[in-house]
Amino acid sequence: MGKYGIGQPVLRFEDPRLLRGQGRYINDVNLPGQAHAVLLRSPHAHARIRSIEVAAARAAPGVIAVYTGADYAADGLGMPRATMPRKRGDGSPMFAPQRPALVTDRVRYVGDPVAMIVAETLAQAKDAAELIEVDYEPLPSVTDTAQAASPGAPAVWDECPDNVSNVVERGNKAATEAAFQKAARVIRRRYVVTRVHAQYMEPRGALGTYDPGEDRLTLYADVQYPHRVRNMLAQSVFRIPESKLRVIGGDVGGAFGTKGWQYVEHRLVLWAARKLLRPVKWTCERSEAVMADEHGRDNIGDIELALDADNRFIGLRLHMLANLGAYIGSDRNLLTPFGQIGTVTGVYSIPAAYVHITGLLSNTNPTAPYRGAGRPEAIYLIERLIDDAARELGVDRIELRRRNMLPSSALPYQAPLGPYYDCGEFEKNLDMALKLADVAGFAARREESRRRGKLRGLGVVNAIEQAAGTVQPEYAEIRFNPGGSAMMLLGTKAQGQGHETMYKQILHERLGIDPADVQFIDGDTDRVAFGMGTMGSRSTVLGGSALWLAADKVIEKGRKIAAHLLEASAEDIEFADGSFRVAGTDRALALKQVAMAAFQPARLPPGMEGGLYEHTTYVPPKDTFPNGCHICEVEIDRETGHVQLVRYAVVDDVGTVINPVGLKGQIHGGVAQGVGQILMERVVWDRESGQLLTASFQDYAMPRADTLSNMEIQSNPVPTRFNPLGAKGAGEAGTVGAMPAVMNAIMDALAEVGVTQLDMPATPDRVWQAMQRARVPNGGGPWP
């Protein structure tokens, strides 16, 4: 409808405010009389705490309090725990150690917090932290995923000597083994998916305050799920009614899954604020973030593909080691390996599949969802394996994919590991992308690169992901004011995705309301009645659908009011283009007029409650499956190993596109994060000491504008019927396809010089070393 409706390329309403510096991020929030908190963190990956001496720190200038884990325990505060049903391989219960707010006995990763200092100023708190003396007894540590699973590896917890927290299986093991027994060929590979950190624009922060008159806590924090943060803190930590705790989230400078709801700093600032009767603020510094935050990815997959004599896929097996870190403080820390299982068969017809995932403990930060939450890893595994299979079999990799791809006629399709693909045009995605990327002209471009002494490679991948799950509902409310303007209140939480614009477009499409007349509200548990937050590409699908259905309720009540005012039957009232009209006549009232009348009792039908406020809590019947095709071209410098992206094309199916401009932005950002992980990003510890080696941007490399190439993006939307909008979700699609596309392009280029194995990140030194190793069989001579 009009220039603001669904499908229109609307510029973001949020941007003028943000670009003028008028945003309100967590570090912009300050309260009168606030104190500043600093956390003292462990310098050891694993050590026993013999003693903590805090007297000197407590006596330092400006210091208000110094707290340890003993103080926390003395106040009887609780800890959240994981509740997902999981077991170990022998059937015994999952070993899921809770995450203490402040450690009292043994630290288990570099960055584990041991004390909190609260002072009048941040500088005074930092100075006092240096006066705390902690007597550590260093213990053996394990930070490497493969090593953590090895016999004899140091135990992170004495109660769990093999470091195995839990085991997850899915699929038909017997049927899969039978498929492998009759296979003509089996392709086996091991792929490592490295650990990364979100590195958002603004590091985390938290500000707690306590009102003794109301006996009420308020937390200001940059979180993705304000209501879930409130519920966890109220129920599991402070053991108070939710009505006694408010969470407010303003603008969020990026999150990508990592700004979740289980961080200890949230508990600590509220606890300190209640004890001190003044606001307490903690701000994470960039140099602290990698130590303080949860991380993403970090797993090793041994994957096998069974093929028949016609090169058709008949079975897939995956045994994976997933590094969960030192603690499993909530279900968040179990989501990534769990979320990876289903879509590892990709968009292909694979009749039998079996997955076995071992969740391991290590002396590292806990892992949790990071953009894609397991789906990029799944597509990375299957798409790399298909390329390797094609090379080993001597067949064309695109044709091998096409031969095994699910046709549209096969949909809906029940995948062997659980996902239900309801709709999609996978082969059309591929055909569109091949044309968009001019793959027909690749051979000529490769030859031109050769003349310049460069290697050129092409990566073609088909991506699919499970999004917008059915486990958690979402909430939307439309609340009209007496003057006819409206508020929309959403239970999701924007972190830069453009929610305000997207939701205003949906509301304009359904109700015809001018976006200027609509106030957008999220992130405040006192203003928004309910919500599960933003993650898993769910906001448009669930939040947008809830808003659409709430608008239907507005129309239904408005129709009755309009009928009364127009002296007609409600059955004769039509609603379109923002107006109620008596069918077949020119008698009409604008929605704004009807909304104003709703607050005037004399103008309402007898017995009708005044006002116009409607809400919906929505959960879809099925998950959605965004999909697409990514094609990447890279050039590699033979002398330095430097990899440069030179072309990138995406054809995506995210269902109904609400805003093409916003969608392209999401794809751009997602691709950038996938590219970053493949080319340079990696959290690294020293294997011997467990010391964190990549705590700052001096050591943790990040992609820049010149890392990327121009991106050509087209949409091939196939709306789903499982929600009223037909949307599938878009926030993570770029990352899901980018990781395998870039790596496959690199391996295609390196195949020319004999490189057959390389794991991410493909940094220049690693690429150069791989090329040198490949020269050894030729006596170190020149490449062909």
Side-chain angles (χ1 to χ4, degrees), residues 655-738:
T656 300
V657 177
I658 306 298
N659 186 341
V661 174
L663 172 61
K664 285 190 176 182
Q666 288 284 354
I667 299 297
H668 285 156
V671 168
Q673 288 185 262
V675 170
Q677 176 153 9
I678 296 301
L679 294 186
M680 61 194 68
E681 293 188 55
R682 186 186 180 195
V683 178
V684 180
W685 289 270
D686 180 81
R687 283 175 61 97
E688 298 301 321
S689 67
Q691 281 300 308
L692 179 64
L693 302 178
T694 52
S696 74
F697 286 154
Q698 288 185 316
D699 303 296
Y700 188 101
M702 289 283 287
R704 307 180 308 186
D706 61 359
T707 304
L708 304 173
S709 65
N710 183 50
M711 294 185 208
E712 297 289 338
I713 300 174
Q714 288 184 0
S715 288
N716 177 33
V718 182
T720 177
R721 61 183 176 86
F722 288 130
N723 63 74
L725 295 175
K728 295 179 179 178
E732 294 154 304
T735 310
V736 173

Side-chain angles (χ1 to χ4, degrees), residues 58 62-67 116-119 276:
R58 283 177 174 154
V63 171
I64 303 167
V66 177
Y67 299 120
M116 180 172 69
I117 304 92
V118 184
L276 300 173

Side-chain angles (χ1 to χ4, degrees), residues 10-236:
V10 177
L11 296 179
R12 301 193 339 164
F13 296 112
E14 302 93 326
D15 287 349
R17 172 177 64 87
L18 299 175
L19 292 172
R20 292 172 182 148
Q22 296 166 344
R24 192 167 178 80
Y25 297 92
I26 182 60
N27 212 35
D28 295 319
V29 181
N30 295 285
L31 298 176
Q34 74 185 19
H36 296 268
V38 166
L39 293 185
L40 180 66
R41 300 183 180 277
S42 167
H44 298 280
H46 196 191
R48 183 174 289 108
I49 298 176
R50 292 194 182 103
S51 64
I52 302 179
E53 297 294 337
V54 300
R58 283 177 174 154
V63 171
I64 303 167
V66 177
Y67 299 120
T68 66
D71 301 310
Y72 186 93
D75 280 5
L77 300 181
M79 290 189 289
R81 66 175 64 245
T83 60
M84 277 187 177
R86 293 282 188 276
K87 292 185 178 181
R88 285 167 44 89
D90 60 3
S92 60
M94 167 179 65
F95 183 76
Q98 292 170 275
R99 189 175 185 181
L102 296 170
V103 178
T104 58
D105 52 355
R106 273 164 65 173
V107 293
R108 288 181 167 84
Y109 67 92
V110 174
D112 226 352
V114 298
M116 180 172 69
I117 304 92
V118 184
E120 297 289 349
T121 70
L122 182 59
Q124 290 171 330
K126 288 182 178 181
D127 288 344
E130 295 183 3
L131 300 177
I132 297 177
E133 295 183 6
V134 184
D135 185 5
Y136 291 105
E137 177 191 346
L139 300 171
S141 64
V142 58
T143 56
D144 179 77
T145 303
Q147 184 186 2
S150 300
V156 181
W157 294 81
D158 294 340
E159 305 91 325
C160 187
D162 61 0
N163 292 324
V164 175
S165 164
N166 64 88
V167 170
V168 175
E169 295 179 277
R170 186 177 290 185
N172 190 321
K173 185 176 182 180
T176 304
E177 289 179 350
F180 274 83
Q181 288 173 1
K182 68 179 182 181
R185 292 291 299 271
V186 174
I187 310 297
R188 298 181 177 88
R189 291 292 188 276
R190 166 171 280 204
Y191 301 120
V192 176
V193 178
T194 51
R195 179 181 286 235
V196 290
H197 180 267
Q199 300 290 13
Y200 17 63
M201 182 179 73
E202 183 187 38
R204 293 188 300 112
L207 172 59
T209 185
Y210 174 68
D211 184 338
E214 292 189 355
D215 185 25
R216 198 158 190 259
L217 294 161
T218 299
L219 174 69
Y220 298 85
D222 51 343
V223 295
Q224 298 180 226
Y225 342 120
H227 290 83
R228 293 165 69 187
V229 171
R230 179 197 63 179
N231 298 348
M232 181 275 293
L233 290 169
Q235 296 171 8
S236 301

Side-chain angles (χ1 to χ4, degrees), residues 45 69 213-214 264 277 348 386 413 431 434 546 566 584 591 651:
E214 292 189 355
V264 299
L277 298 180
Y348 306 103
I386 292 174
Y413 171 77
D431 291 336
L434 292 174
L566 294 170
L591 173 60
V651 171

Side-chain angles (χ1 to χ4, degrees), residues 180 185-187 303-307 313 315-316 350 385-386 389:
F180 274 83
R185 292 291 299 271
V186 174
I187 310 297
I303 187 167
E304 303 172 275
L305 183 64
L307 300 93
F313 305 158
L316 181 140
I350 304 179
L385 187 61
I386 292 174

Side-chain angles (χ1 to χ4, degrees), residues 380 384 387-388 391 397 442 446 455-461 631-637 641-648 674-680 707 738-764 766-768 770-771:
Y380 181 83
R384 277 210 67 181
D387 261 28
D388 280 344
R391 274 189 285 268
R397 55 195 167 145
F442 172 72
R446 170 175 269 180
L455 301 172
R456 196 177 189 105
L458 178 74
V460 179
V461 308
I631 299 181
C632 176
E633 281 186 43
V634 301
E635 273 193 343
I636 299 178
D637 189 311
H642 175 73
V643 178
Q644 182 63 55
L645 266 67
V646 291
R647 295 174 72 104
Y648 203 99
V675 170
Q677 176 153 9
I678 296 301
L679 294 186
M680 61 194 68
T707 304
M739 283 173 52
V742 177
M743 198 67 191
N744 279 357
I746 292 169
M747 296 306 296
D748 182 53
L750 293 176
E752 189 172 347
V753 293
V755 176
T756 60
Q757 177 60 33
L758 178 68
D759 282 317
M760 64 176 82
T763 55
R766 291 165 62 90
V767 172
W768 185 86
M771 290 192 289

